[in-house]
Amino acid sequence: MSSPIATGNSMNAYSPNKPENGRPSNEVTALAQAWKAADCILIGAGSGLSTSAGYTYSGERFDRLFADFKARYGITDMYSGGFHPFGTLEEYWAWWSREIYYNRYIPAPKPVHERLLDMLRRFGDAAAAKDYFVLTTNVDHCFQHAGFDKSRLFYTQGDYGLWQCSLPCSQITYDNEETVRRMLAEQSDMRIPSELIPHCPRCGRPMTMNLRADGTFVEDAGWHDAARRYSDYVTKRKDSRILLLELGVGGNTPGIIKYPFWQLTDGNPQATYACLNLGEAVAPRQIHDRSICINADIDATLTDLAETLHSPFVD
C-alpha cells in the first residue's frame, strides 16, 4: 500500500471535549455511527492506550518510582531501564520487580479500558454486548484487569506477569506475582535477597521476562490458543461490517496490528478503519474514504465517544 496520509482534516480539526454548538466533532460522530453500524469490532491496542491510561514510562511517574535507579545508574525511563546491563542478578531483579509491580499488579491510574468495555457492553446489539476481539502488543494486563473476556484477548508480545527459562529449555511460562511482591518488599539498596533470584524449575538456569525481545521468546500453550482464537475471529468476520478500531499503535511493530488492519479494510468494502492516536493518526490513500483518524488523547476521545453514542445526533 502507498504511504499513509492524514484522513481529511482530522490531524488538526479535532479538539476533545470542545464540540461546536453543542454537537460532537465530525470525526467522533463518524466513529459513533460506524460503531453502531458494525456487526463486530476488532480492537488493536498499542502502547499509546496504556499511556493514555496513565502507565507512563518517563517523566514524573518514572522519577517518583525510580529516583534511586536514576541517581545511581543514570536511567531516565522504564523502557531503556529494561535493557540496562546490571552487574548482578540481585540488581537486575530489583529493577524488574519494581517495573513489573507498578505496570502489572496495581490498577492503571485512569479507567480508560473500563470505559471501553462499558461501551462495548452498552452499545452493542439490542439483546447483547458488541461482538469484539482485542489484539494487543501491550504486556500490562490492563484489559483483563478491566474485566474483558480472556477468551477475546490475544497478547502477542508477552506478559509482565510471566517468567520463562532464559535458554529456554521448554515452551512453558511461570506466574510471578507472589515472588515479585516479595522482591519488592524485601529489596534494599536496589538489590533483592539472593535467595529470591528465580531459576527455571526444569533446568536450573536463571529465569527471564516473558517479553518478546529476540528469538528466545516463549510462546506457550496459552499464547497459541489465543492466536488460534484471533485467527478464527478474523477469518469468520473479515467480510462483515467490521470496525477496525486501532488505539495508540505506533511504528515500532506495525506488522502486528497496523498493516493487517489496513489490509483487512482494503479487502472489505464494508469495513471501517478508525485510528485514535495522539500525533500518529494516519491511514493509507487506498482506504481514505473508509477511515476515521483522530489525533487526540485516547481517554478524552473515548469519553466523547461514549457521550456521542448517547446523543440525538447519532442514528
Side-chain angles (χ1 to χ4, degrees):
M1 304 183 80
S2 64
S3 61
I5 60 171
T7 298
N9 296 318
S10 61
M11 293 297 286
N12 300 309
Y14 177 54
S15 179
N17 298 318
K18 295 179 182 179
E20 296 181 5
N21 301 319
R23 297 181 66 92
S25 74
N26 292 337
E27 291 87 353
V28 173
T29 299
L31 180 55
Q33 291 169 337
W35 182 293
K36 287 192 172 183
D39 297 321
C40 56
I41 300 178
L42 179 57
I43 298 166
S47 61
L49 178 62
S50 295
T51 298
S52 182
Y55 272 164
T56 53
Y57 277 30
S58 59
E60 183 278 331
R61 183 170 182 259
F62 174 79
D63 291 343
R64 173 165 44 86
L65 299 176
F66 290 90
D68 48 354
F69 280 92
K70 182 177 182 179
R72 178 174 295 180
Y73 302 102
I75 299 170
T76 57
D77 63 87
M78 292 186 218
Y79 181 79
S80 61
F83 296 95
H84 187 83
F86 293 105
T88 67
L89 287 174
E90 287 82 357
E91 294 166 280
Y92 174 87
W93 285 114
W95 167 274
W96 271 109
S97 61
R98 205 180 299 184
E99 179 164 346
I100 294 166
Y101 177 77
Y102 286 110
N103 295 301
R104 174 65 164 78
Y105 293 123
I106 64 168
K110 294 189 285 185
V112 179
H113 298 76
E114 287 84 353
R115 183 173 296 114
L116 178 60
L117 180 60
D118 182 63
M119 285 191 291
L120 289 166
R121 287 172 170 168
R122 290 195 295 130
F123 302 109
D125 298 327
K130 206 74 175 178
D131 177 17
Y132 74 87
F133 198 96
V134 177
L135 173 68
T136 182
T137 54
N138 296 339
V139 296
D140 49 33
H141 221 59
C142 281
F143 285 101
Q144 281 183 250
H145 285 315
F148 281 74
D149 183 350
K150 182 180 179 180
S151 68
R152 293 176 178 268
L153 302 173
F154 180 24
Y155 293 86
T156 67
Q157 305 300 81
D159 184 343
Y160 270 139
L162 297 176
W163 286 335
Q164 65 171 71
C165 175
S166 56
L167 182 59
C169 67
S170 69
Q171 294 298 298
I172 297 174
T173 57
Y174 304 88
D175 292 335
N176 63 28
E177 182 173 5
E178 181 179 351
T179 304
V180 163
R181 290 182 180 275
R182 284 193 61 193
M183 287 177 173
L184 189 72
E186 299 178 30
Q187 64 180 250
S188 177
D189 193 30
M190 289 164 282
R191 288 173 171 79
I192 64 163
S194 297
E195 60 268 21
L196 291 182
I197 296 172
H199 292 86
C200 175
R202 295 170 64 91
C203 72
R205 289 181 176 84
M207 296 281 240
T208 191
M209 298 298 299
N210 181 232
L211 303 176
R212 190 185 300 278
D214 55 32
T216 64
F217 176 71
V218 167
E219 297 175 353
D220 63 10
W223 189 97
H224 285 285
D225 288 343
R228 280 191 291 271
R229 289 193 296 269
Y230 170 66
S231 178
D232 289 345
Y233 187 92
V234 172
T235 298
K236 293 175 181 177
R237 294 163 177 82
K238 62 183 177 66
D239 296 320
S240 67
R241 289 185 301 177
I242 185 171
L243 172 61
L244 296 131
L245 181 59
E246 184 187 296
L247 303 172
V249 177
N252 285 341
T253 53
I256 297 174
I257 297 173
K258 188 175 292 291
Y259 293 168
F261 275 29
W262 289 354
Q263 291 164 350
L264 285 168
T265 306
D266 189 41
N268 176 6
Q270 297 191 93
T272 300
Y273 170 70
C275 177
L276 280 58
N277 200 356
L278 182 60
E280 298 183 64
V282 296
R285 295 181 185 279
Q286 289 93 325
I287 59 172
H288 182 280
D289 60 340
R290 288 180 288 117
S291 295
I292 303 163
C293 292
I294 300 178
N295 178 28
D297 175 69
I298 296 171
D299 182 30
T301 304
L302 292 180
T303 298
D304 282 0
L305 176 61
E307 294 175 356
T308 305
L309 285 166
H310 273 300
S311 78
F313 301 119
V314 178
D315 294 332

